[in-house]
Amino acid sequence: MADLVLDYALLHDLASSMRDLKAKIKTDVDAGSKRAVVTKDGTVVSSSEVGNTTVYAALSAFFAGCNGPFKDSMDLLDKLAENFDGIAKAFFDVDADFSGKVDTERMQAQIAQWQADGKAYQHYLDIKDKSVTFQYYDENGNLQTGKIGLWDPNQKPPDAPGPIPSSIDGTSVGSNHTTVTTDSNGNITSETTTVDSGNGLTYTETTNYTYHDTNGDGKPEYVDYSSTITHSDGSSETTTKTTNTSDGSYVVKDTTKDGTSTSTVTPKPNGGSHDVTVDTDGNTTTTDVDVTGTGTGTKTVSGPNGTDHYTGNPDTGQWTLTSHDDPPPGSDPYADPDPYISPNTP
């Protein structure tokens, strides 16, 4: 099966062209409602300029007759442009989000390489002037003392690593650029990714990270974050993760123009989890992942539409649906338990 390729830049341009066309049609629609004859720039033409009253009356009738269909076409162009632009922005946002995540991974790899280069250079500085002293007997049987440098003078020394990487350019979606700040351990403390399609679509995401080293070994056990996204349609989205370091449970909140959804995740033995999610409409979905062995486990998802049971690999997130249970009768709080009985019936 061939891969589906969607040119969201072309869709966005097409939507803009439709809006331009609507603006041009509006001139004729406004003229037709007044039975006026106009030029292409909207200037009203008098009958004397036409020179023939019969021709002018026919033109006037033509403009008036086109008024209805052209007015309908304006409404249709509006809806079609909105649909095309909505699809373009939705796909652009998905690609921009993915591109930003890829650039963050590339940035982390560059920082890791910078750290490795720094250790190599520091090792060189530590040993370049040091040597090992040893004794030996020469061909005459005399005891001699020699030295061997810890760094081979014939070997090119490593380059100094320079400043820590702080930005990266991506090429997967239009023009995208990621900048970061780091702490003394090389952990990214903040990052901002900006993606520009080049034809009017933009996406910006800024994330701040908080690291929790609970055992003092210098390596964070938990990472919290607060992320703000400005989508291509101008709307904002904020996502936060807050960890309870005493038991490893955490809460993720996602706030959009539609409201706030909240997921509370509690760890279970062997890497399992218990997740309770409340969406923007107040519906609750519970997801339980239980690890039964190496690379094996079960997942149970219970929500307004019933319960789904899965088996699969918790490590890779690959699951296979094994069964579904419908919600029990009467579980819908909006359903009428008996539409034939009036609620006022004694």
Side-chain angles (χ1 to χ4, degrees), residues 325-336:
D325 301 326
D326 289 330
S331 61
D332 184 354
Y334 302 103
D336 189 342

Side-chain angles (χ1 to χ4, degrees), residues 83-321:
N83 287 338
F84 281 173
D85 218 15
I87 295 171
K89 290 176 178 177
F91 275 82
F92 172 77
D93 283 356
V94 171
D95 274 6
D97 175 64
F98 180 75
S99 178
K101 287 179 171 57
V102 169
D103 287 346
T104 299
E105 293 293 331
R106 293 172 59 209
M107 192 78 252
Q108 290 173 333
Q110 287 193 7
I111 292 173
Q113 184 61 53
W114 176 86
Q115 291 174 319
D117 292 343
K119 291 179 179 179
Y121 184 70
Q122 186 60 50
H123 176 68
Y124 160 74
L125 294 178
D126 292 340
I127 69 172
K128 70 183 183 68
D129 296 324
K130 295 181 179 180
S131 60
V132 175
T133 302
F134 65 96
Q135 292 183 318
Y136 66 96
Y137 290 94
D138 62 15
E139 66 274 11
N140 298 318
N142 298 318
L143 183 64
Q144 303 290 334
T145 300
K147 291 183 178 182
I148 298 177
L150 295 181
W151 182 263
D152 183 357
N154 296 318
Q155 181 181 352
K156 182 181 181 297
D159 296 327
I164 188 170
S166 61
S167 66
I168 191 171
D169 289 319
T171 58
S172 56
V173 181
S175 171
N176 50 306
H177 182 72
T178 297
T179 59
V180 302
T181 60
T182 56
D183 61 16
S184 58
N185 295 319
N187 297 314
I188 295 177
T189 55
S190 69
E191 62 174 318
T192 297
T193 296
T194 301
V195 184
D196 191 332
S197 69
N199 71 330
L201 297 177
T202 58
Y203 174 98
T204 303
E205 179 174 353
T206 298
T207 303
N208 296 307
Y209 297 94
T210 303
Y211 297 88
H212 302 282
D213 177 12
T214 57
N215 58 16
D217 64 353
K219 299 179 180 179
E221 285 72 44
Y222 307 106
V223 181
D224 288 340
Y225 59 82
S226 176
S227 179
T228 300
I229 299 172
T230 302
H231 292 282
S232 56
D233 63 358
S235 63
S236 295
E237 178 179 1
T238 301
T239 304
T240 61
K241 177 190 175 189
T242 306
T243 302
N244 181 351
T245 57
S246 63
D247 62 2
S249 63
Y250 60 90
V251 177
V252 176
K253 291 185 177 181
D254 185 71
T255 302
T256 67
K257 59 184 179 182
D258 298 321
T260 300
S261 62
T262 303
S263 293
T264 303
V265 181
T266 304
K268 297 175 71 173
N270 303 318
S273 62
H274 174 70
D275 180 351
V276 179
T277 299
V278 181
D279 65 19
T280 55
D281 294 324
N283 299 314
T284 299
T285 300
T286 301
T287 302
D288 281 285
V289 175
D290 294 288
V291 179
T292 56
T294 303
T296 61
T298 62
K299 181 171 74 170
T300 304
V301 182
S302 299
N305 297 321
T307 301
D308 292 325
H309 303 274
Y310 300 84
T311 59
N313 188 337
D315 297 332
T316 62
Q318 295 176 311
W319 300 100
T320 300
L321 179 66

